[in-house]
Amino acid sequence: MFSTDKNIDTIAQLVEVIRHYIGLQTKYAKLDVIDKIVRLLTGLIMVAVLSLLLFVALIYLSFSAAYALAPHMGEAWAFACVAGAYFVILMLCIMFRKKWIERPLVRFLASMLMQE
């Protein structure tokens, strides 16, 4: 097996193609990471904005519910009833946190980050 200039040129071309391929794979990996980070940040920002809007709406609805109940049971008891309803909702969220919060969040993040 004698090496010739043609074999050396072929090996050099192969090495160059492999270097180019590795460079392209590195760029692809970087772009993939950037894409996933942008998706994650977009999702987080959307959740933050929607949560803020929901929070403001919930405050107004809470006051309107309390003032609607006030003529029937007194203002203090009306506000206490609204607070009690929120306490019940809080307890339900704590009891069902895996089913309502953790599992959907894990599924959402896994589907977002594992996409090709």
Side-chain angles (χ1 to χ4, degrees):
M1 300 252 174
F2 298 106
S3 65
T4 63
D5 288 338
K6 187 174 185 181
N7 288 344
I8 293 173
D9 288 342
T10 305
I11 292 173
Q13 287 175 347
L14 178 64
V15 168
E16 189 61 35
V17 168
I18 290 173
R19 283 186 184 160
H20 182 68
Y21 175 76
I22 291 172
L24 289 177
Q25 286 295 87
T26 303
K27 287 180 183 178
Y28 175 75
K30 288 178 185 177
L31 288 174
D32 191 44
V33 168
I34 289 171
D35 178 55
K36 289 179 181 180
I37 289 172
V38 167
R39 286 184 192 195
L40 186 61
L41 288 176
T42 302
L44 288 174
I45 290 171
M46 286 300 297
V47 166
V49 168
L50 293 176
S51 296
L52 180 66
L53 292 174
L54 179 67
F55 181 71
V56 169
L58 202 57
I59 287 174
Y60 281 111
L61 286 173
S62 298
F63 276 109
S64 66
Y67 283 121
L69 291 173
H72 304 292
M73 61 178 63
E75 200 167 294
W77 284 108
F79 278 97
C81 283
V82 171
Y86 282 122
F87 184 72
V88 168
I89 292 170
L90 173 68
M91 289 297 121
L92 287 173
C93 286
I94 290 172
M95 288 178 3
F96 296 108
R97 70 183 175 273
K98 285 190 189 281
K99 184 177 181 181
W100 292 349
I101 299 168
E102 289 179 16
R103 287 184 196 146
L105 186 61
V106 166
R107 269 190 245 120
F108 171 73
L109 290 175
S111 70
M112 182 186 299
L113 295 176
M114 299 305 278
Q115 275 182 355
E116 283 297 319

